[in-house]
Amino acid sequence: MTAVTVWNEYIHEREDDAVAEVYPDGIHETIADALEARGHDTRTATLDEPEHGLTEAVLDDTDVLVWWGHAAHDAVEDHVVDRVVERVYKGMGLLVLHSGHASKPFTRLLGTPCDLTYREGDDRERLWVTDPGHPIVDGLDESIVIDETETYGEPFGIPEPDRLVFTSWFEGGEVFRSGCCYRRGRGKLFYFRPGHETYPIYHREDVQWILDNAVRWATPTEGAAAYGGNRPVDPPES
Amino acid sequence: MTAVTVWNEYIHEREDDAVAEVYPDGIHETIADALEARGHDTRTATLDEPEHGLTEAVLDDTDVLVWWGHAAHDAVEDHVVDRVVERVYKGMGLLVLHSGHASKPFTRLLGTPCDLTYREGDDRERLWVTDPGHPIVDGLDESIVIDETETYGEPFGIPEPDRLVFTSWFEGGEVFRSGCCYRRGRGKLFYFRPGHETYPIYHREDVQWILDNAVRWATPTEGAAAYGGNRPVDPPES
Amino acid sequence: MTAVTVWNEYIHEREDDAVAEVYPDGIHETIADALEARGHDTRTATLDEPEHGLTEAVLDDTDVLVWWGHAAHDAVEDHVVDRVVERVYKGMGLLVLHSGHASKPFTRLLGTPCDLTYREGDDRERLWVTDPGHPIVDGLDESIVIDETETYGEPFGIPEPDRLVFTSWFEGGEVFRSGCCYRRGRGKLFYFRPGHETYPIYHREDVQWILDNAVRWATPTEGAAAYGGNRPVDPPES
Amino acid sequence: MTAVTVWNEYIHEREDDAVAEVYPDGIHETIADALEARGHDTRTATLDEPEHGLTEAVLDDTDVLVWWGHAAHDAVEDHVVDRVVERVYKGMGLLVLHSGHASKPFTRLLGTPCDLTYREGDDRERLWVTDPGHPIVDGLDESIVIDETETYGEPFGIPEPDRLVFTSWFEGGEVFRSGCCYRRGRGKLFYFRPGHETYPIYHREDVQWILDNAVRWATPTEGAAAYGGNRPVDPPES
């Protein structure tokens, strides 16, 4: 059982009726419920809680952090970002969703701006599996279709992913690297593109299935000793 | 000035009038002329020449080998494939085009079947640059369009590329990793998808430009000493 | 419970008294016993069995194949190698040990000669963990020491590994990429350097621990649909 | 001819007589002279110049930036780091030397702390080439020896390098990934370990040769159009 914290800035759902209709309790609750139903131990955290809900105590009890943000990336305080990033180095998994590509934790860990092109044009998206042996795609078919979505397009300003799990096709003519795996320190990162706030994408069975797979994949393993920090050492062979 | 040998099985052009109309002297001559005009020192070789035109002497004088094959992969003799592959380990560049994905040199060097899905359906293709900093895309715009082509689709059975330079969008709904860089030994490999025999793709200015860039990129550098073969050694610190 | 088949050419142990003293029942039995004791379902196979003990039926029932060979790489028949390699593409894990770097399955899957330098000089080896977050090193310290071993040295003629898990230091002055992860198709490969036949390395608790971790890591997951083989397709969007 | 700016914090050389004896005009002048002599167009910049000598005008005229820092990483102002990092995204090459592993530009671009173990113990170091085909090692032998140096040891807290060009052996028992290539945006990064301030390492012919190769490798190529920043787009196929 993986301890999952689903973080959401939780702004659009409270300010925009169209979004509230799709996610009445917020994107975080929809995702947390889906992961809970699949056997994980979930909690949620949002921007306007003290320390954005990401205290040391909460992160002590988090194996995998799921991140959704869009309108308020800059409002996330740097000391909380430092804390999240430090946890990733020590093994916490991080799933970054959709517009989280421009969030502080993601760009800090990747070292690049992660910019892209976009269009709210109700395009159809076809997510192709480009790494059929990867555990994140366990049980999927060769591709899945999302009938209406926001489009993201290349060039996507990221470092070459360790594994490229999904590549999206969009009706309007774009492609996008939609499922990207990285490691930073001991922690595993997965970026997953689908999920704009105005579409019911996180209510889909197949998307929830992928998030479940991704949580399992990103759950920390023990690894080897790694004391951390620069430190002087005696010669081991002396 | 790079010494380039353009290899072609040269079958379709002699057996199929529609292909002969597009490439009257063979695909190899079209590509060789284009590379010659861009400053390379080119020659050609074809399947029905002795040793398929790839003698030790020819390969001694080849910096980069360009490979086009489709109908007769199995007719390429293994000892010639061994020779090509050995040269790649020692630094010869290799450009594998389109249906060459299933050729002996490519599958031998990659270690996988490199299979894919395909359709001769006159789809429009949009090649997106997914690695804007790569020398193979020097001078290109963000994408290029090929109005009619054979479609290739994922899953493409290759090892994860070192660099993914192009990703294709097809009108019919597919995506494809269309520009893939690898290294094997000291040799650089580039797989480039466009180029079915029934379309005049190798006559295009932009495709020729890409092939020119790829030849420059794949041209051997000197590298460090690497004697090759398993060999016993004395302790260097004794 | 993972179904593991441990393959050994089983020559040195029967021809050389010094080796027989270290591995009286063969390297394969030592490794199989160690993995059985750690909860896997193990069997063994050797070169002189019919089809080298690697029939379709045996491979049908193998999740992870462990490979040890040295003196008789060329005696392994190509159709058996084809069978092993095909299984890897479909997901079977493959652990290649020590002198197996020059075996047919490993060089076929990697696409390079995998040559190296070596010395039977009783060097001390220190295996450093260079990927502390990897599941193969779960529970290890920063390095482990093998007091006497055969030395392997760079350059090691392999493609750049997906993950470099161990890097060895040798008393005589060499370094070596001793733990290398790859994927080919759906199958995971791990190369692990220690294990010359004249040293009791596979009797070590820490080495058995690493092999156990590696078996768990290489156990197939389901993945996505991937039908295999080149095949024509209709446009999915039509 | 590549425009190179060699940056040095320039502290030890002015505060420590032993260092001043090795680098009387500062490490930056030694490196700049060596690169100038090999055909590059060099200038230098140091910490205590206005804007650390890295104004927009200087960076406008810099193809490759070389970075040496140790005692004063925190004194480098963030807005200058932002400027350097932005230039890398747009193509400027960056060579980070030795203790620069903990500098702001390097850790920002890599996204990890890049910590390590160290010892000032006069160890002998043997730098092994682990990527013999790479242009940075053009003309080198299989390894080079530095008789006395500061030791760095694994675990080195970096993302898996795109290419691992050098791996060091140290007399005291450590190994280290001493030559690491990355790309961030269009810019190429090379980390090169040797070069502690108390040893005359940058006066060595072979080290200067490597730096020259690295400057050539990191020199920007044109690449494809990449407009940068998140931006809305119309459908290209409409």
Side-chain angles (χ1 to χ4, degrees):
Chain A
M1 184 179 272
T2 299
V4 182
T5 300
V6 182
W7 190 90
N8 181 11
E9 57 176 37
Y10 196 25
I11 292 178
H12 295 302
E13 300 94 325
R14 293 185 295 181
E15 297 187 348
D16 182 334
D17 287 350
V19 178
E21 214 162 297
V22 184
Y23 297 108
D25 302 314
I27 282 174
H28 51 299
E29 293 296 344
T30 301
I31 293 174
D33 286 355
L35 294 173
E36 186 84 28
R38 283 162 176 80
H40 303 290
D41 178 22
T42 65
R43 71 169 85 200
T44 63
T46 57
L47 182 67
D48 60 5
E49 295 176 41
E51 306 194 47
H52 312 320
L54 299 173
T55 59
E56 294 284 2
V58 165
L59 293 180
D60 278 348
D61 195 33
T62 300
D63 295 319
V64 176
L65 177 64
V66 181
W67 193 276
W68 199 99
H70 182 212
H73 292 318
D74 285 346
V76 179
E77 290 190 48
D78 286 336
H79 78 277
V80 175
V81 177
D82 292 344
R83 192 183 288 159
V84 165
V85 161
E86 277 301 317
R87 296 289 173 146
V88 170
Y89 298 149
K90 287 177 177 149
M92 186 180 74
L94 180 64
L95 268 53
V96 175
L97 302 178
H98 190 63
S99 43
H101 71 89
S103 67
K104 287 185 180 179
F106 192 60
T107 54
R108 276 271 297 277
L109 286 162
L110 261 58
T112 59
C114 308
D115 42 15
L116 47 80
T117 70
Y118 62 92
R119 176 174 63 254
E120 296 193 53
D122 292 341
D123 266 13
R124 186 161 69 260
E125 173 178 16
R126 182 174 288 272
L127 273 158
W128 286 95
V129 173
T130 39
D131 190 0
H134 201 281
I136 289 179
V137 297
D138 268 6
L140 294 187
D141 206 341
E142 289 193 333
S143 69
I144 71 172
V145 176
I146 295 173
D147 278 326
E148 291 196 330
T149 192
E150 185 190 24
T151 295
Y152 278 6
E154 298 280 345
F156 186 18
I158 51 172
E160 188 93 1
D162 293 346
R163 307 293 305 178
L164 177 60
V165 177
F166 291 108
T167 302
S168 286
W169 173 97
F170 293 95
E171 192 180 357
E174 281 86 0
V175 297
F176 195 74
R177 288 172 287 172
S178 285
C180 300
C181 296
Y182 294 94
R183 188 114 70 74
R184 289 296 181 264
R186 293 152 173 267
K188 292 182 184 130
L189 275 73
F190 181 60
Y191 174 76
F192 185 60
R193 193 210 84 83
H196 197 56
E197 69 272 9
T198 54
Y199 302 96
I201 287 170
Y202 298 122
H203 293 288
R204 291 173 60 115
E205 184 73 20
D206 48 10
V207 167
Q208 293 180 359
W209 179 278
I210 291 167
L211 295 179
D212 175 22
N213 282 345
V215 163
R216 290 173 202 276
W217 170 80
T219 300
T221 52
E222 187 185 353
Y227 304 102
N230 292 304
R231 67 194 159 90
V233 284
D234 290 325
E237 301 298 316
S238 63
Chain B
M1 183 179 273
T2 299
V4 183
T5 299
V6 182
W7 191 89
N8 182 12
E9 58 176 36
Y10 197 24
I11 291 179
H12 295 303
E13 301 93 326
R14 294 187 293 182
E15 296 188 347
D16 182 334
D17 287 350
V19 178
E21 214 161 296
V22 184
Y23 297 108
D25 302 314
I27 282 174
H28 51 299
E29 292 297 344
T30 301
I31 293 175
D33 286 354
L35 293 173
E36 187 83 28
R38 282 162 177 80
H40 304 290
D41 178 22
T42 65
R43 72 169 85 201
T44 63
T46 56
L47 181 68
D48 61 4
E49 294 175 41
E51 306 196 47
H52 312 320
L54 299 173
T55 60
E56 294 284 2
V58 166
L59 293 180
D60 279 347
D61 195 34
T62 300
D63 294 319
V64 177
L65 178 64
V66 181
W67 193 275
W68 200 99
H70 182 213
H73 293 317
D74 285 345
V76 179
E77 291 190 49
D78 286 336
H79 78 277
V80 176
V81 176
D82 292 344
R83 192 184 287 158
V84 165
V85 161
E86 277 301 316
R87 295 288 174 148
V88 170
Y89 299 148
K90 287 177 178 150
M92 185 179 75
L94 180 64
L95 269 53
V96 175
L97 302 178
H98 190 62
S99 44
H101 72 89
S103 67
K104 286 185 179 179
F106 192 60
T107 54
R108 276 271 296 277
L109 286 161
L110 261 58
T112 60
C114 308
D115 42 16
L116 47 78
T117 70
Y118 61 92
R119 177 176 62 254
E120 296 192 52
D122 292 341
D123 266 13
R124 187 163 65 261
E125 174 178 15
R126 182 174 288 272
L127 273 158
W128 285 94
V129 172
T130 38
D131 190 1
H134 201 283
I136 289 180
V137 298
D138 268 6
L140 294 187
D141 206 340
E142 289 194 330
S143 69
I144 70 172
V145 176
I146 295 174
D147 278 325
E148 290 196 330
T149 191
E150 185 191 25
T151 296
Y152 278 6
E154 297 280 346
F156 186 17
I158 50 172
E160 188 92 1
D162 292 347
R163 306 295 303 180
L164 178 61
V165 177
F166 293 108
T167 302
S168 287
W169 174 97
F170 293 95
E171 192 180 358
E174 281 86 1
V175 297
F176 195 75
R177 287 171 288 173
S178 285
C180 300
C181 296
Y182 294 94
R183 188 113 70 74
R184 288 296 182 264
R186 291 150 173 266
K188 293 183 183 130
L189 275 74
F190 181 60
Y191 173 77
F192 186 60
R193 194 210 83 83
H196 198 55
E197 68 273 8
T198 56
Y199 303 96
I201 287 170
Y202 297 121
H203 294 287
R204 290 173 62 114
E205 184 72 22
D206 48 9
V207 168
Q208 293 179 1
W209 179 278
I210 292 167
L211 294 179
D212 175 22
N213 281 346
V215 163
R216 290 172 202 276
W217 170 79
T219 300
T221 52
E222 187 184 355
Y227 304 102
N230 293 303
R231 65 190 161 95
V233 284
D234 290 327
E237 299 299 316
S238 64
Chain C
M1 184 179 273
T2 299
V4 182
T5 300
V6 182
W7 191 91
N8 181 12
E9 58 176 36
Y10 197 24
I11 293 179
H12 295 302
E13 300 94 326
R14 294 185 296 182
E15 295 187 349
D16 181 334
D17 287 351
V19 177
E21 214 163 295
V22 183
Y23 297 107
D25 301 315
I27 281 173
H28 51 299
E29 293 296 344
T30 300
I31 293 174
D33 286 355
L35 293 172
E36 186 84 30
R38 281 163 177 80
H40 303 291
D41 179 21
T42 66
R43 71 169 86 200
T44 63
T46 58
L47 181 67
D48 60 5
E49 295 175 40
E51 305 195 48
H52 312 320
L54 299 172
T55 60
E56 294 284 2
V58 165
L59 294 179
D60 278 349
D61 195 35
T62 299
D63 295 317
V64 177
L65 177 64
V66 181
W67 194 276
W68 199 99
H70 181 213
H73 293 317
D74 285 346
V76 178
E77 291 190 48
D78 286 337
H79 78 276
V80 175
V81 177
D82 292 344
R83 191 185 288 159
V84 165
V85 161
E86 277 302 317
R87 295 287 173 147
V88 170
Y89 299 148
K90 288 178 176 147
M92 185 180 74
L94 179 64
L95 270 53
V96 175
L97 303 177
H98 189 63
S99 42
H101 72 88
S103 67
K104 286 184 180 179
F106 191 60
T107 54
R108 277 271 297 276
L109 286 161
L110 261 57
T112 59
C114 308
D115 44 15
L116 48 79
T117 69
Y118 61 92
R119 177 175 62 253
E120 297 194 51
D122 293 341
D123 267 12
R124 188 162 66 259
E125 173 178 14
R126 183 174 287 271
L127 273 158
W128 284 95
V129 172
T130 39
D131 190 0
H134 201 282
I136 290 180
V137 298
D138 268 5
L140 294 187
D141 206 340
E142 289 194 332
S143 69
I144 70 171
V145 176
I146 295 174
D147 278 325
E148 291 195 331
T149 192
E150 185 190 24
T151 295
Y152 278 7
E154 297 280 345
F156 185 18
I158 50 172
E160 189 92 1
D162 292 347
R163 306 295 302 180
L164 177 61
V165 177
F166 292 109
T167 303
S168 287
W169 174 97
F170 293 95
E171 191 181 358
E174 281 86 1
V175 296
F176 196 74
R177 287 172 287 172
S178 285
C180 300
C181 295
Y182 294 94
R183 187 113 71 76
R184 288 296 181 266
R186 293 152 173 264
K188 292 182 185 132
L189 275 73
F190 181 60
Y191 174 76
F192 186 59
R193 194 211 82 84
H196 197 55
E197 69 272 9
T198 56
Y199 302 96
I201 286 168
Y202 297 122
H203 293 288
R204 292 174 60 117
E205 183 72 22
D206 48 10
V207 167
Q208 293 180 359
W209 179 277
I210 292 166
L211 295 179
D212 175 22
N213 282 344
V215 163
R216 290 173 202 277
W217 170 81
T219 300
T221 51
E222 187 184 354
Y227 304 102
N230 292 304
R231 66 195 160 91
V233 284
D234 289 328
E237 299 299 317
S238 63
Chain D
M1 183 179 272
T2 299
V4 182
T5 299
V6 182
W7 191 89
N8 181 12
E9 58 176 36
Y10 196 26
I11 292 178
H12 295 303
E13 301 94 326
R14 293 186 294 182
E15 295 187 349
D16 182 334
D17 287 350
V19 177
E21 213 161 298
V22 183
Y23 297 107
D25 302 314
I27 281 173
H28 51 299
E29 292 296 343
T30 301
I31 292 174
D33 286 354
L35 293 173
E36 186 83 30
R38 281 162 177 80
H40 303 291
D41 179 22
T42 66
R43 71 168 85 200
T44 63
T46 57
L47 181 67
D48 59 6
E49 294 175 41
E51 305 196 48
H52 312 320
L54 299 173
T55 60
E56 294 285 1
V58 166
L59 293 180
D60 279 348
D61 195 33
T62 300
D63 294 319
V64 177
L65 177 64
V66 180
W67 194 275
W68 200 100
H70 182 212
H73 292 319
D74 285 345
V76 179
E77 291 190 49
D78 287 336
H79 78 276
V80 175
V81 177
D82 293 344
R83 191 184 290 159
V84 165
V85 161
E86 278 301 317
R87 296 287 173 146
V88 170
Y89 299 149
K90 287 178 177 148
M92 186 181 73
L94 179 64
L95 269 52
V96 175
L97 302 178
H98 188 63
S99 43
H101 71 89
S103 67
K104 286 184 179 180
F106 192 60
T107 54
R108 275 272 296 277
L109 286 161
L110 261 58
T112 59
C114 308
D115 43 15
L116 47 79
T117 69
Y118 62 91
R119 177 175 62 252
E120 296 193 52
D122 292 341
D123 266 13
R124 187 161 66 260
E125 173 178 16
R126 182 175 288 272
L127 272 158
W128 285 94
V129 173
T130 39
D131 190 0
H134 200 282
I136 290 179
V137 298
D138 268 5
L140 294 187
D141 206 340
E142 289 193 329
S143 69
I144 70 170
V145 176
I146 295 174
D147 279 325
E148 291 196 328
T149 192
E150 186 190 24
T151 295
Y152 278 7
E154 297 280 346
F156 185 18
I158 51 172
E160 189 92 1
D162 292 348
R163 306 295 302 180
L164 177 61
V165 177
F166 292 108
T167 303
S168 287
W169 173 99
F170 294 95
E171 192 181 358
E174 280 86 1
V175 297
F176 195 75
R177 287 172 287 173
S178 285
C180 300
C181 296
Y182 294 94
R183 188 114 70 75
R184 288 296 180 266
R186 292 150 173 267
K188 291 183 185 132
L189 275 73
F190 181 60
Y191 173 77
F192 186 60
R193 193 211 82 83
H196 197 55
E197 69 273 8
T198 55
Y199 303 97
I201 286 169
Y202 296 122
H203 293 288
R204 291 174 60 116
E205 184 72 21
D206 48 11
V207 167
Q208 293 180 359
W209 179 277
I210 291 166
L211 295 179
D212 175 23
N213 282 344
V215 163
R216 290 172 201 275
W217 170 80
T219 299
T221 52
E222 187 184 353
Y227 305 102
N230 293 303
R231 66 193 160 92
V233 285
D234 289 327
E237 298 298 318
S238 63

